[in-house]
């Protein structure tokens, strides 16, 4: 038996943008299509009788342009060893979910070959097998059957699934009355207790509240360390780093990096984060923003008379923007994240309260204290809000900045200390009395 669980060779997936399938149409769709056809024909270069481009060209009309082709994946090749945990990362639209759907046999590739050794379980769209009119109890058996579990297998794990989801009180209630959180908790509870040789997981850790996400992460850890082969897609770089041994980075449908998880995450972070600690938008017409807010600059700089941002110095945040909303309660929140995508902290500031904002240019400054951040690279997101409740405008990754290590007050010059933050705490001690052992010796 081969040690390769998944073998992918030259996989590609092509879509024709704007093309409709040949499925059945309702009467309403047919009537609307008949009304629109003459107008669409003129727009696409057909003649008034709806002749195709070739016939129209013979009649002296311009030929119809060919459908636009979009390759969601192109020439994807990799192997996954049996028992390996591989993370697949990349921006939105990079082709991650398309790849998983092909591997799960939900959709067929346009080109290439795939060989899979073992039973495949997929957690791509949690809860798709639930019927709203059925109870939670009935849906556990229905969803488990859809996901490939036998009835005896479901019954043996029924109590474990319900306890994991935390929905004991509502088992005999139709799921159409469930909240979205309850719905997802039960669906993941069923899917998480599958035992296939190959498990394909897409962003399931983003569902539910913080407590349930932690529970999901623990369950995924159990799966990852049980010897099963796992493909895991997530935007949570910390989870990928904890669960996975190797990673694959996709960008625009192609593999741009593959290897040790830490190296691939670093490549991803460099590709998505700006490389400057200051971004300027001198032209308001092209500056990021909307009808509420228009940015002019975002900067993260060292304190005055400092050469760079270090662990000891801290940093200054400088945000310039134009407020276009009169008489609102305006606020701004910044989010600082690590190079691995872990949110380190957020900080908010009320710019104007009691409906006191004025239209015009604002200059907002804040201070990141020294002895807080560990050495490393960080990114800054900015969110403007109204009434500390409604989002007006948000920009992710406005700038990035590097925090360098110093040895001041720390003894050895360590590049990066363990932990997310590296505060310098205030300590003191006082001598009380000699211990009894010392007294007895005397």
């Amino acid at each position: 038996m081969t040690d390769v669980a998944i073998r992918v060779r030259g996989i590609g997936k092509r879509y024709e943008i704007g093309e409709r399938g040949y499925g059945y149409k309702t009467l309403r769709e047919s009537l609307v299509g008949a009304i629109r056809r003459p107008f669409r024909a003129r727009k696409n270069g057909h003649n008034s009788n709806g002749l195709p481009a070739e016939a129209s060209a013979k009649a002296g009309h311009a030929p119809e342009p060919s459908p636009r082709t979009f390759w969601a994946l192109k020439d994807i090749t990799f192997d996954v060893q049996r028992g390996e945990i591989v993370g697949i990362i990349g921006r939105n639209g990079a082709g991650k979910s398309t790849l998983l759907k092909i591997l799960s046999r939900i959709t067929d590739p346009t080109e290439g070959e795939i060989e899979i050794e073992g039973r495949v379980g997929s957690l791509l769209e949690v809860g798709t097998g639930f019927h709203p009119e059925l109870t939670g109890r009935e849906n556990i058996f229905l969803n488990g059957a859809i996901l490939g579990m036998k009835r005896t297998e479901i019954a043996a794990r029924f109590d474990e699934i319900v306890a994991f989801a935390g929905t004991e009180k509502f088992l005999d209630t139709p799921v159409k009355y469930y909240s979205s959180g309850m719905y997802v908790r039960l669906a993941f509870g069923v899917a998480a207790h599958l035992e296939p040789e190959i498990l394909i997981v897409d962003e399931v850790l983003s569902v539910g509240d913080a407590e349930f996400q932690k529970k999901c992460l623990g369950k995924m850890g159990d799966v990852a360390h049980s010897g099963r082969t796992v493909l895991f897609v997530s935007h949570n770089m910390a989870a990928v780093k904890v669960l996975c041994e190797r990673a694959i980075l996709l960008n625009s449908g192609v593999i741009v990096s593959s290897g040790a998880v830490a190296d691939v995450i670093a490549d991803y972070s460099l590709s998505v984060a700006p490389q400057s600690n200051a971004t300027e938008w001198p032209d308001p017409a092209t500056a990021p923003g909307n009808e509420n807010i228009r940015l002019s600059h975002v900067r993260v700089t060292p304190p005055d008379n400092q050469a760079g941002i270090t662990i000891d110095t801290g940093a200054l945040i400088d945000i310039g923007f134009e407020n276009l909303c009169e008489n609102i309660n305006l606020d701004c929140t910044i989010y600082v994240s690590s190079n691995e995508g872990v949110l380190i902290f957020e900080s908010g500031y009320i710019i104007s309260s009691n409906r006191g904002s004025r239209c015009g240019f604002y200059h907002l400054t804040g201070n990141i204290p020294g002895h807080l951040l560990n050495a490393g690279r960080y990114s800054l997101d900015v969110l403007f809000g109204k009434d500390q409740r409604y989002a007006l405008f948000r920009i992710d990754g406005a700038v990035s900045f590097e925090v360098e290590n110093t040895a001041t007050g720390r003894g050895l010059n360590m590049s990066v200390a363990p932990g997310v933050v590296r505060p310098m705490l205030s300590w003191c001690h006082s001598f009380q009395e000699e211990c009894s052992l010392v007294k007895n010796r005397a």
Side-chain angles (χ1 to χ4, degrees):
M1 181 180 292
T2 178
D3 287 334
V4 178
I6 302 174
R7 181 180 287 107
V8 176
R9 294 291 181 270
I11 284 296
K13 181 62 179 179
R14 182 185 64 214
Y15 293 99
E16 306 296 340
I17 301 176
E19 289 292 288
R20 290 180 63 101
Y22 296 96
Y24 294 106
K25 295 182 180 179
T26 64
L27 176 61
R28 178 180 178 182
E29 289 175 325
S30 299
L31 292 174
V32 173
I35 295 172
R36 290 179 175 174
R37 193 172 296 117
F39 302 97
R40 188 181 296 120
R42 293 191 185 98
K43 180 179 179 181
N44 293 335
H46 289 60
N47 63 17
S48 59
N49 292 322
L51 293 175
E54 184 179 351
S56 298
K58 292 179 181 178
H61 297 282
E64 178 186 5
S66 59
R68 293 175 295 164
T69 298
F70 169 69
W71 285 89
L73 295 172
K74 187 66 176 175
D75 195 25
I76 302 295
T77 298
F78 63 89
D79 290 340
V80 178
Q81 302 298 315
R82 192 176 305 278
E84 191 176 18
I85 302 99
V86 178
I88 300 177
I89 62 177
R91 296 171 180 260
N92 289 332
K96 306 184 299 297
S97 295
T98 301
L99 175 60
L100 295 197
K101 287 179 180 178
I102 291 175
L103 295 176
S104 301
R105 300 184 179 92
I106 294 174
T107 186
D108 294 325
T110 305
E111 60 184 19
E113 297 180 350
I114 300 173
E115 295 180 17
I116 297 178
E117 297 286 342
R119 175 188 171 196
V120 177
S122 301
L123 279 70
L124 303 185
E125 298 178 8
V126 177
T128 51
F130 274 21
H131 192 291
E133 299 296 335
L134 299 181
T135 66
R137 185 186 305 274
E138 293 164 338
N139 268 299
I140 289 177
F141 284 93
L142 172 64
N143 199 229
I146 292 173
L147 293 172
M149 299 173 71
K150 297 179 181 179
R151 183 175 181 85
T152 53
E153 185 181 7
I154 302 170
R157 297 204 176 106
F158 184 87
D159 292 340
E160 187 180 356
I161 291 171
V162 173
F164 183 89
T167 55
E168 297 92 337
K169 296 181 180 179
F170 309 99
L171 276 179
D172 296 310
T173 302
V175 297
K176 67 180 180 180
Y177 298 116
Y178 283 19
S179 67
S180 58
M182 290 169 56
Y183 190 95
V184 169
R185 288 166 74 98
L186 185 59
F188 184 82
V190 175
H193 289 79
L194 283 171
E195 289 190 356
E197 289 85 3
I198 300 170
L199 184 61
I200 299 177
V201 185
D202 187 4
E203 281 294 359
V204 296
L205 296 182
S206 63
V207 301
D209 54 28
E211 179 185 356
F212 190 67
Q213 288 183 35
K214 185 177 180 180
K215 210 173 186 180
C216 291
L217 185 60
K219 184 62 179 177
M220 287 301 303
D222 295 340
V223 171
H225 294 96
S226 65
R228 283 178 273 174
T229 304
V230 180
L231 287 183
F232 178 50
V233 165
S234 179
H235 288 286
N236 185 337
M237 294 300 105
V240 173
K241 199 169 185 178
V242 168
L243 293 176
C244 302
E245 305 162 351
R246 184 165 66 91
I248 296 172
L249 173 59
L250 291 179
N251 187 25
S252 300
V254 299
I255 295 177
V256 296
S257 181
S258 177
V261 64
D263 296 336
V264 176
I265 288 177
D267 291 341
Y268 172 67
S269 299
L270 289 174
S271 70
V272 299
Q275 299 306 303
S276 174
N277 64 334
T279 308
E280 313 279 343
W281 298 280
D283 184 4
T286 58
N290 53 24
E291 69 279 4
N292 302 311
I293 299 291
R294 190 72 59 177
L295 282 172
S296 69
H297 67 264
V298 178
R299 309 185 189 104
V300 179
T301 59
D304 293 340
N305 302 320
Q306 299 292 331
I309 301 172
T310 70
I311 289 174
D312 297 322
T313 64
L316 299 176
I317 301 173
D318 183 353
I319 303 171
F321 67 96
E322 185 177 4
N323 175 43
L324 305 176
C325 298
E326 187 80 34
N327 296 326
I328 65 168
N329 300 326
L330 182 64
D331 57 81
C332 179
T333 303
I334 60 99
Y335 302 87
V336 174
S337 300
S338 70
N339 200 39
E340 291 79 20
V342 177
L343 177 64
I344 305 302
F345 69 87
E346 68 167 48
S347 180
Y349 178 74
I350 299 175
I351 299 170
S352 58
S353 58
N354 298 323
R355 309 193 67 82
S357 70
R358 293 183 292 172
C359 291
F361 187 81
Y362 283 77
H363 190 225
L364 179 63
T365 59
N367 175 54
I368 299 177
H371 310 295
L372 175 63
L373 296 177
N374 207 341
R377 192 161 192 85
Y378 299 86
S379 63
L380 181 76
D381 306 337
V382 182
L383 170 67
F384 293 93
K386 173 185 174 183
D387 298 331
Q388 302 180 61
R389 188 174 178 186
Y390 304 103
L392 298 177
F393 174 70
R394 174 168 181 153
I395 179 170
D396 291 333
V399 294
S400 68
F401 61 99
E402 190 83 23
V403 176
E404 298 179 352
N405 180 68
T406 54
T408 306
R410 294 169 188 269
L412 297 177
N413 185 10
M414 300 172 62
S415 57
V416 180
V420 174
V421 294
R422 194 177 178 182
M424 181 176 282
L425 305 181
S426 297
W427 292 92
C428 65
H429 77 278
S430 62
F431 182 79
Q432 299 297 311
E433 62 177 347
E434 291 182 344
C435 63
S436 58
L437 182 61
V438 176
K439 289 181 179 178
N440 292 335
R441 248 182 227 168

